[in-house]
Amino acid sequence: MRIGVMVGPEQGDTNRKVDRMLKDVEWAESADLDTVWVPQIPTDFDALTAVALMGTRTSRIEIGTAVVPLQAQHPVHLVRQSLSTHAALGGRLALGVGPSHHWIVQDMLGLPYDKPAKYTRDYLEVLGAARDLPGSIDVENDTFKVHNPLDIAPVAPMPVLVAALGPVMLRIAGELADGTVLWMADERAIAEHIAPRIIKAAEEAGKPKPRIVAGVPVCLCAPSEVDVARERANRILAEAEISPNYQRLLEHGQAKDIGDMAIVGDEDAILAGFRRYEEAGVTDLSMRLLPIGNTRDELVASKYRTREVVAELVKELR
């Protein structure tokens, strides 16, 4: 299992966001992590722009989006943007995409959210044609009629990963993409619901075994602080639980909320948590570092302690 970390804008003014993201990705590469995952927060920094910036400060680490909402741009535009970013990174982009949620697409963007799975399938057919560039993207389906020449080409194979939570989306991801990017999926949900479905779909489509990227909060803390860490996870990350998609996913696992599935505790507890996700079938773990504390200085210190321990655990896992 490869270990990566989420790096995003979060709080602060725009100038400080850029500086912090660049410093975080520099640490991730220096710590010998495998991947960095950039969330597309609907109210904040553009994820692919952030990925391109991070490529200027790194030379080895894979950098992915987790995830770009499909409805926000035409697929040809996303092909052009992602292949350009992929080239800027020297072939290190993992393009994570997804149909997002009704409260983003419908309520914030004012776009229809009637058949997200069907829309995703049709969109992925256009994205898939990018593998044969340079040339022309020629795809006609129920949603898109595209005949668009492009002179750019993938500088290396570019994995496309789909935020797939339900059976239909997992089948689509297995058939048309290279894996899935998850959030709110605990070990049981992955082992019993996610992995069997997407692996079967990939096998039936004659594709390689898909990647399963699991986003999980991680916090190094004393045993006496475990409840504090879980409560903080629920307080700052619980917005996702308003989504029916995530609610249905929780029903497949044993965790009742994001705090319940967080990997928190001392070094042994974190290592054990990593191994549980690996045994469940996760190929890539995307850590959402979860600092605890009552002041900014305490939060920063907590983040750095967690990072130091994780860097050592990566060596042990290998």
Side-chain angles (χ1 to χ4, degrees):
M1 183 177 70
R2 305 199 308 166
I3 304 293
V5 64
M6 295 184 193
V7 172
E10 298 178 354
Q11 299 178 353
D13 63 40
T14 303
N15 288 325
R16 283 186 292 178
K17 289 176 185 180
V18 172
D19 184 61
R20 185 176 64 250
M21 286 190 291
L22 292 177
K23 287 180 178 177
D24 283 348
V25 77
E26 287 175 345
W27 167 78
E29 179 152 290
S30 68
D32 204 27
L33 299 188
D34 298 292
T35 52
V36 163
W37 300 95
V38 183
Q40 181 58 75
I41 300 172
T43 58
D44 220 312
F45 213 89
D46 179 71
L48 277 167
T49 300
V51 169
L53 285 170
M54 292 175 187
T56 66
R57 300 292 184 91
T58 57
S59 61
R60 172 197 58 80
I61 198 166
E62 181 184 52
I63 309 176
T65 55
V67 297
V68 174
L70 294 176
Q71 295 89 338
Q73 60 272 298
H74 191 279
V76 171
H77 173 77
L78 185 56
V79 167
R80 184 184 298 110
Q81 186 182 17
S82 60
L83 289 183
S84 300
T85 304
H86 195 44
L89 266 65
R92 292 184 285 126
L93 172 67
L95 180 64
V97 300
S100 194
H101 306 279
H102 70 89
W103 54 274
I104 294 175
V105 176
Q106 183 174 295
D107 300 346
M108 297 175 71
L109 299 179
L111 297 173
Y113 194 72
D114 300 330
K115 298 178 180 178
K118 171 61 175 169
Y119 185 85
T120 300
R121 177 178 285 279
D122 290 351
Y123 203 113
L124 288 176
E125 289 181 357
V126 182
L127 284 187
R131 294 188 175 96
D132 299 323
L133 292 174
S136 181
I137 296 179
D138 294 295
V139 174
E140 293 196 10
N141 54 41
D142 293 340
T143 307
F144 302 102
K145 290 178 173 54
V146 176
H147 301 282
N148 196 115
L150 283 174
D151 291 332
I152 57 176
V155 297
M158 182 181 71
V160 176
L161 309 168
V162 180
L165 308 180
V168 174
M169 284 294 299
L170 287 165
R171 183 169 65 250
I172 292 170
E175 292 174 358
L176 299 179
D178 301 294
T180 184
V181 181
L182 305 171
W183 181 249
M184 298 289 289
D186 69 7
E187 305 97 309
R188 177 183 290 178
I190 293 168
E192 299 181 4
H193 168 64
I194 301 288
R197 285 178 166 85
I198 193 171
I199 291 172
K200 179 181 179 182
E203 289 175 346
E204 291 177 348
K207 295 174 65 69
K209 188 175 180 179
R211 290 173 65 175
I212 298 175
V213 184
V216 185
V218 176
C219 176
L220 175 72
C221 63
S224 60
E225 297 173 309
V226 165
D227 289 342
V228 173
R230 296 194 189 281
E231 189 277 331
R232 178 169 168 77
N234 286 329
R235 187 170 71 253
I236 68 174
L237 302 174
E239 182 181 14
E241 294 177 33
I242 68 174
S243 167
N245 297 332
Y246 287 131
Q247 290 293 340
R248 286 191 289 269
L249 183 57
L250 284 172
E251 294 174 0
H252 289 284
Q254 56 189 7
K256 64 181 183 299
D257 51 39
I258 190 66
D260 212 20
M261 67 183 68
I263 299 175
V264 298
D266 60 17
E267 183 175 346
D268 290 340
I270 293 176
L271 180 60
F274 286 176
R275 294 201 185 281
R276 288 196 304 271
Y277 275 92
E278 184 175 29
E279 291 167 1
V282 170
T283 63
D284 299 76
L285 190 76
S286 172
M287 301 180 295
R288 203 293 190 182
L289 298 180
L290 179 71
I292 57 173
N294 297 315
T295 67
R296 183 182 182 280
D297 288 345
E298 289 177 355
L299 291 170
V300 170
S302 174
K303 172 183 174 179
Y304 279 84
R305 285 195 300 271
T306 301
R307 293 204 319 189
E308 290 172 4
V309 165
V310 165
E312 292 302 315
L313 292 180
V314 167
K315 299 175 185 176
E316 185 169 344
L317 286 167
R318 291 182 180 142

